[in-house]
Amino acid sequence: MHVVLGVTGGIAAYKVALLLRLLKESGHDVTVVPTQSALRFVGEPTWAALSGRPVATDVWTDVHDVPHVRIGQSADLVIVAPATADLLAKAAAGLADDLLTNTLLTARCPVVMAPAMHTEMWEHPATQDNVATLSARGVHIVPPASGRLTGADTGPGRLPEPEELFAVCERELARAAAPSDQTAGGDPAAASTADPRADLAGLRVVVTAGGTREPLDPVRFLGNRSSGKQGVALAAAARDRGADVTLVLAHGEVDPPTGVDVVSVSTALELKTATETAVAGADVVIMAAAVADFRPAHYADRKIKKTHDPGDPDAAPTIELVRNPDILAGLVTQRGSTPRPLIVGFAAETGDDTGSVLDLGRAKLERKGCDLLVVNEVGTDKTFGRDDNTVHILRRGQHEPVADLGPAGKDVIAHGILDAVVAAVTTG
Ligand code: CTP
């Protein structure tokens, strides 16, 4: 694919060299279009060496090639990172006074912008209006992260990490390449008329993610191998599609995305309380968390010593477990006969003597009573902690999966799951 990487004059331009490398390593042709200010932060040789191409810096070089039109027309994706307040204002107004702004006017492919600036500039009503205008036109705005800015100050305005921007690029390219009449859920009419970037606008979506930890004593717990990546990718994807997202996040390996409400929890019982609170008034709840089915019956408030039994110094303790409540099944009961929220469960299955992964998934969907079940095969080298995933989505009342997704990145899978959610919400 041909990606145009627009770089504007912000200190975060240095981070974008890593984004360029990620794009190149995954096989894309990248044309870097830095503004004159960007070149004061990172020079032309860096962009040329990392992209392996000459760097277009103004509309007057190679005029016979008409670069101000050709670069935008031939792009499969344009990403501007960092996007300064000045660039956002120019793009919103449709100005075309340099190569990058000309490119933005001629591009007909997906456009992603990652604003980065000081908090005051980001929060200024002029910038916010420009962002709203661009977003309404279909530009994918990646909201800035909160954190350390150029100086000692902190706040929203930081460029998200290159890996996060790369994931957005990959997803936009995958979505653009996907035939629009093959959306999961079998509702091509809904798929072709909906704005792919705003089809969850106005909906409240609750996502649970990560693995719970059930404490045994102050230093030990029973846990599981969930990384939280798929749930966090779902929260980010739902945010990008316009939903108001609450992420109930247990333990994992990834930070929560920006732009969603995060409720941090540790145990299954905490996750239950937080989820039941969050689902009030929600339209969709997605239970991606790996919830412990059991917890120690007794919590020792002091560390259990190796020689815990004075009568037998070699004895190993026996841990008694009790069942945790089934939160997903509880949500289904709590909802009763009302259609909302739409409830999506996950099934981690290995398959066994009694049936295949899909057979066990069908039985679990029946047992749990949710609307959609995302079935994935788990095993030592599958799913947990990995960046890619393969899933089948089952819908209540249908024998065959409504979608078989992957292997693909967890963000691409997240959008496939949300396509099935949109189809289920649309068709009732
Ligand atoms: N889940 C839940 N509460 C639990 C256990 C699981 O809400 N106590 C949810 C998970 O978030 C997931 C779904 O139920 O959405 C299925 O989880 P899974 O671990 O695959 O199934 P279990 O119910 O634990 O069934 P089994 O152990 O028989 O596979």
Side-chain angles (χ1 to χ4, degrees):
M1 293 288 188
H2 179 210
V3 178
V4 171
L5 174 59
V7 188
T8 68
I11 184 73
Y14 78 92
K15 282 168 122 178
V16 173
L18 288 173
L19 171 62
L20 171 54
R21 170 158 280 177
L22 290 169
L23 288 165
K24 284 291 294 173
E25 278 172 357
S26 63
H28 300 301
D29 291 329
V30 186
T31 300
V32 185
V33 183
T35 62
Q36 290 303 317
S37 315
L39 292 172
R40 299 187 67 145
F41 288 97
V42 178
E44 186 179 337
T46 302
W47 302 121
L50 289 177
S51 68
R53 288 173 158 238
V55 171
T57 57
D58 65 59
V59 290
W60 304 113
T61 307
D62 295 329
V63 175
H64 60 282
D65 260 354
V66 207
H68 74 288
V69 174
R70 185 186 44 78
I71 294 175
Q73 282 176 339
S74 62
D76 295 305
L77 175 80
V78 178
I79 173 162
V80 184
T84 55
D86 182 64
L87 181 281
L88 296 172
K90 282 181 177 156
L95 295 184
D97 64 351
D98 64 6
L99 189 57
L100 180 56
T101 45
N102 273 276
T103 298
L104 287 169
L105 281 187
T106 52
R108 291 293 174 271
C109 57
V111 175
V112 176
M113 292 188 186
M117 61 199 75
H118 268 77
T119 304
E120 293 81 353
M121 297 173 84
W122 170 245
E123 289 178 346
H124 195 284
T127 304
Q128 289 301 309
D129 284 354
N130 291 330
V131 166
T133 301
L134 291 164
S135 190
R137 280 186 205 144
V139 173
H140 179 145
I141 302 285
V142 185
S146 276
R148 177 89 191 268
L149 300 172
T150 319
D153 44 350
T154 58
R158 215 176 127 86
L159 188 74
E161 293 311 307
E163 291 76 11
E164 189 178 337
L165 298 177
F166 173 68
V168 172
C169 292
E170 287 292 79
R171 186 166 50 68
E172 287 294 338
L173 285 165
R175 286 175 69 74
S180 59
D181 61 349
Q182 284 186 10
T183 300
D187 186 13
S192 59
T193 51
D195 175 347
R197 289 191 192 87
D199 54 5
L200 291 175
L203 298 188
R204 273 204 55 223
V205 175
V206 177
V207 181
T208 68
T212 63
R213 287 183 182 175
E214 310 301 317
L216 188 56
D217 70 14
V219 296
R220 301 184 180 96
F221 56 83
L222 300 182
N224 60 64
R225 299 177 58 211
S226 170
S227 66
K229 287 180 183 172
Q230 187 63 75
V232 165
L234 273 161
R239 170 204 67 192
D240 292 348
R241 291 166 76 149
D244 176 3
V245 181
T246 301
L247 174 63
V248 180
L249 185 58
H251 300 275
E253 296 166 15
V254 281
D255 290 332
T258 53
V260 308
D261 290 333
V262 180
V263 184
S264 295
V265 296
S266 186
T267 65
L269 293 179
E270 287 170 15
L271 192 133
K272 177 176 186 289
T273 307
T275 306
E276 286 173 354
T277 305
V279 298
D283 298 286
V284 178
V285 52
I286 304 177
M287 286 290 301
V291 185
D293 289 321
F294 312 101
R295 67 180 183 278
H298 309 287
Y299 172 73
D301 51 14
R302 297 195 181 172
K303 184 183 171 198
I304 301 168
K305 302 299 284 180
K306 190 159 44 197
T307 50
H308 68 105
D309 180 352
D312 180 359
D314 293 328
T318 301
I319 302 168
E320 190 192 341
L321 299 176
V322 291
R323 280 284 284 268
N324 272 328
D326 188 322
I327 303 166
L328 178 61
L331 291 174
V332 172
T333 309
Q334 188 182 321
R335 176 182 66 174
S337 56
T338 56
R340 292 282 180 274
L342 183 96
I343 301 176
V344 184
F346 269 66
E349 301 293 353
T350 55
D352 61 22
D353 297 345
T354 63
S356 68
V357 166
L358 263 186
D359 292 336
L360 296 179
R362 288 186 186 105
K364 191 169 284 182
L365 177 59
E366 189 69 29
R367 207 166 56 242
K368 302 256 183 184
C370 52
D371 302 293
L372 295 171
L373 190 77
V374 181
V375 185
N376 58 20
E377 205 169 331
V378 293
T380 325
D381 59 348
K382 289 180 186 150
T383 297
F384 287 121
R386 290 182 60 117
D387 290 325
D388 60 356
N389 206 356
T390 303
V391 306
H392 312 280
I393 304 179
L394 294 171
R395 187 168 175 182
R396 192 150 49 93
Q398 289 186 29
H399 185 75
E400 291 306 320
V402 292
D404 301 295
L405 306 169
K410 287 188 173 173
D411 55 319
V412 173
I413 298 285
H415 277 279
I417 294 169
L418 292 179
D419 288 341
V421 165
V422 169
V425 167
T426 314
T427 58

